[in-house]
Amino acid sequence: MDICWLCVILAGIAVYLLTQFIRFIFADADLTLLWAHKELSCQLAALGARLVLSARRENELERVKRSSLKAEDILVLPLDLLDRASHQEKTATALKHFGDIDVLINNGGRTQRSLCIEADVDVYQALMELNYLGTVSVTKQVLPHMIRRGSGIIATVSSVAGFVGVPLATGYAASKHAVQGFFNSLRTELADYPNITISTICPGPVISTIVQNAFTEELGKPVDTAGDQTHKMSTERCVHLTLIGLANHVKEMWIAEQPFLLFCYLWQYTPTLAWYLTNVLGKKRVQNFKAGLDADSAYFSKPKVKTT
């Protein structure tokens, strides 16, 4: 009888592990985030969000506001991450308008498409000023308000490049590694404030305009072509998963389709194997870049030659 029960228990464990393995194969986010999915509706309903939209292009912010069903709950507040002297005033304006800041989402930044050997140091400085110091500056303005209240969420869009080596993006990866280090350290400093959530969001390839706006080897030099973006995760899916994570106060989210999600796990748990595979794919990526092919879509399918 005892042996029968043991067989049942082992069979149950085997079925559970097989189920999770199948889920992982078809996953586009880490398992912690996927397990939190059921809480989305009730958490978002409880938020009753009012928005402060900030970026440099005010006309784009106004367009987003006009497309909203509740435009009266949106404040357009133009902000330049590089103008750190203005961040205190901008924060004060938001607080005066709404009274509180419950959630800060840091989502500003630019990526990079250039080889280290060819890139000017000015490009690296610009990446750190924008992606890292600009984010830190805004966070430092909002954080004291959350500490006084004893609650809040600071969510920062980092990248898989925040903990993975990425060829053609040495400066971008460095800036995102810095972001990860800052917020991981800040999270421990706020241990006495358990109701303040520090969440870092690490997407893999996602459809966006980030490639079109990437830094190249020289400041002011645009990317030749962004290439085909259709193979990447949709923006809607990435945002949906991000909201699930924020609603459940997930500290770090990996959002990527396979096989990129697998690489996240390999870098986290088997770095030696991850280095080997990254070197293989990274070498191919650099070769494609030098040959004028699209760097992003050339990993697992035959790349299309760039046209002029």
Side-chain angles (χ1 to χ4, degrees):
M1 190 69 176
D2 291 339
I3 295 178
C4 290
W5 276 111
L6 179 61
C7 291
V8 171
I9 292 172
L10 291 176
I13 293 173
V15 170
Y16 173 80
L17 293 176
L18 178 61
T19 301
Q20 297 307 323
F21 178 70
I22 293 173
R23 289 186 70 198
F24 177 74
I25 292 175
F26 295 100
D28 56 6
D30 63 84
L31 296 181
T32 300
L33 185 53
L34 292 176
W35 283 330
H37 193 286
K38 62 182 180 181
E39 292 292 330
L40 176 62
S41 298
C42 60
Q43 292 288 347
L44 288 180
L47 286 176
R50 297 175 296 172
L51 302 177
V52 178
L53 300 180
S54 291
R56 289 180 301 166
R57 295 182 293 174
E58 186 172 0
N59 60 328
E60 284 297 308
L61 300 178
E62 291 289 352
R63 182 185 63 79
V64 173
K65 179 178 180 179
R66 289 192 300 270
S67 65
S68 173
L69 295 176
K70 299 181 68 176
E72 67 275 10
D73 288 336
I74 296 178
L75 170 66
V76 169
L77 187 65
L79 180 143
D80 187 347
L81 282 176
L82 295 177
D83 185 11
R84 297 197 294 272
S86 70
H87 295 172
Q88 182 176 5
E89 178 187 353
K90 299 292 185 178
T91 303
T93 300
L95 288 170
K96 182 178 180 180
H97 187 86
F98 284 129
D100 292 314
I101 297 177
D102 300 308
V103 181
L104 169 65
I105 300 180
N106 293 309
N107 190 36
R110 291 176 66 180
T111 188
Q112 178 188 13
R113 285 292 185 278
S114 57
L115 292 166
C116 171
I117 195 68
E118 298 174 352
D120 293 343
V121 173
D122 291 344
V123 171
Y124 289 87
Q125 180 176 345
L127 283 162
M128 293 300 294
E129 290 277 353
L130 179 62
N131 295 356
Y132 174 63
L133 289 176
T135 297
V136 170
S137 177
V138 172
T139 299
K140 282 179 60 62
Q141 294 302 326
V142 174
L143 182 59
H145 167 70
M146 291 186 175
I147 289 177
R148 286 192 295 270
R149 293 181 60 207
S151 64
I153 298 174
I154 297 178
T156 302
V157 179
S158 178
S159 169
V160 168
F163 58 94
V164 171
V166 180
L168 306 178
T170 49
Y172 175 74
S175 68
K176 292 301 185 179
H177 274 66
V179 165
Q180 298 275 112
F182 173 81
F183 284 104
N184 286 342
S185 301
L186 177 61
R187 188 182 295 113
T188 61
E189 286 189 10
L190 298 174
D192 290 335
Y193 300 92
N195 292 324
I196 297 179
T197 299
I198 304 296
S199 181
T200 50
I201 304 147
C202 302
V206 175
I207 296 174
S208 72
T209 60
I210 192 170
V211 178
Q212 290 92 324
N213 297 323
F215 283 105
T216 59
E217 65 273 15
E218 298 176 10
L219 290 177
K221 182 180 178 181
V223 174
D224 291 335
T225 177
D228 182 19
Q229 302 283 306
T230 57
H231 63 286
K232 299 181 178 181
M233 176 186 287
S234 70
T235 306
E236 292 78 10
R237 177 61 177 170
C238 182
V239 171
H240 181 71
L241 291 169
T242 298
L243 290 176
I244 292 171
L246 295 183
N248 289 274
H249 301 275
V250 177
K251 294 180 176 64
E252 182 172 297
M253 313 175 208
W254 302 343
I255 302 175
E257 296 176 336
Q258 298 290 13
F260 303 102
L261 181 62
L262 174 61
F263 272 86
C264 294
Y265 278 91
L266 292 177
W267 272 87
Q268 185 78 4
Y269 299 110
T270 59
T272 300
L273 176 60
W275 271 118
Y276 172 76
L277 294 176
T278 302
N279 285 342
V280 172
L281 293 179
K283 182 178 180 180
K284 181 178 180 181
R285 190 171 198 242
V286 171
Q287 289 173 342
N288 290 331
F289 177 77
K290 288 181 175 180
L293 304 176
D294 180 63
D296 282 332
S297 62
Y299 287 111
F300 307 104
S301 61
K302 187 176 180 180
K304 297 179 180 179
V305 178
K306 291 181 178 179
T307 56
T308 56

